[in-house]
Amino acid sequence: SGNPRPEEILECASRAGYSGCELGTHGFFGFTANAVMANYAAHNLAVSASWYDVDLSKPLPLESAGEIDLICSLLQAGGATVINISDKIVPERVAVVSRVDQFPGTWWNDADWLQVPRTLHEIQQVTSKRGVEVAVHQHVGTHIESRSETERLIEIVLGTEIKLCLDTGHLLLGGNDPLAMIDAAGESVIHVHAKDVDGPTFDRVRAGEIDYFAATGEGLYSDLGTGIFDWSGLRDGLDAADFSGWVVAEQDRLLVPGSPIPFEANNRNCAFLKALFRV
C-alpha cells in the first residue's frame, strides 16, 4: 500500500519522454495481455522487458516454468523480446552485499555452478517458444554478485543462446567493472539497466556499517550522472559492441507515500540518458 498507481507510473514515464517501460512486479500492470497492452497503449509506451528470479543452482520447478511462460506471453503481446533472469535473492546474501568475498560460506560450490547452464537452458526452452531471449542479470543479494561470480557467468553464456543484462549499479556494488564486462561479453549484452551509485553510501555498505536495504533508503542509488559511474565509458563501450537494445533507467529507492521525489528524479534521469546517447 502507498505505492503509486499503475497509471501514475506510466503517465510519469510518458511525460518524462521515455519510449517504454518494463513490466515490473508481476501483475502490477495487469495479469492478461489485453489488460497490460491497454495500460501501455493509453500512454503510448512500449513494453521493454520484464524480470524474474529463480534458484539457478536447482532444476527449474514446473511452477516457475509456468510463471515464466505467462510473463513471456505478456512480453510477446507487447513486442518485447527480453526477459531478465536473476538467481534467487536470499537473506544470507542480502546480508553480505558488497562483501561477498569475505564470506565463503555463502558461495556456491562447483556442483551448484554445474547446474546453472542446465537451468538456464531449461528457461530458454520455455521463453524461446514465445520469441523471448533470456538475459541473465547479475544481481546483489544473489549468488551471482561478485567479480569472480560474474566472470564465471560470462564464461557460461559466451557462445550460447543465453545472453546478459548489464546492470551498472549492481555490477559496481559487486566489485565489478561494468565496462570490462562489456569488453568481455560483447554482443552477449542485449539489455542494460542504468543505475548510478552514491560513493559515500557505497563505502558504508562495503564497510558493513549499514545494510543494503537501509542504504537503499538513504540514497544508495543516486540520480543518474550524480554518482560514481562512468557514463561516457558506458556509451562508448556499447557503441563499440554495436549494442542495439534497451537502456532502462532504474533507481531503486524506498518509497514514501505522496512524495514527489521519485517522479522528479524520473524526469531528470530521462533527460540525462537522452543527452548521453544523443537521442
Side-chain angles (χ1 to χ4, degrees), residues 197-237:
V197 174
D198 177 69
T201 310
F202 180 25
D203 289 340
R204 294 176 65 200
V205 174
R206 283 189 291 192
E209 296 174 4
I210 186 172
D211 70 42
Y212 175 69
F213 288 118
T216 301
E218 293 191 16
L220 175 63
Y221 296 109
S222 62
D223 287 7
L224 303 188
T226 68
I228 62 174
F229 186 68
D230 177 3
W231 291 102
S232 60
L234 174 71
R235 179 193 59 219
D236 296 345

Side-chain angles (χ1 to χ4, degrees), residues 22 24 89 97 138 211:
E22 292 196 4
I89 297 172
V97 166
Q138 173 269 5
D211 70 42

Side-chain angles (χ1 to χ4, degrees), residues 160-177:
T160 75
E161 294 182 323
I162 305 298
K163 305 301 181 182
L164 294 166
C165 170
L166 185 153
D167 186 297
T168 58
H170 285 274
L171 285 163
L172 282 179
L173 292 177
N176 298 275
D177 179 346

Side-chain angles (χ1 to χ4, degrees), residues 16 18 223-224 253 261 263-273:
Y18 291 103
D223 287 7
L224 303 188
R253 62 170 71 243
I261 292 175
F263 297 93
E264 295 165 354
N266 194 52
N267 293 334
R268 291 191 293 268
N269 291 337
C270 185
F272 175 81
L273 288 178

Side-chain angles (χ1 to χ4, degrees), residues 22-36:
E22 292 196 4
L23 288 179
T25 304
H26 181 51
F28 185 71
F29 295 120
F31 286 99
T32 67
N34 285 342
V36 171

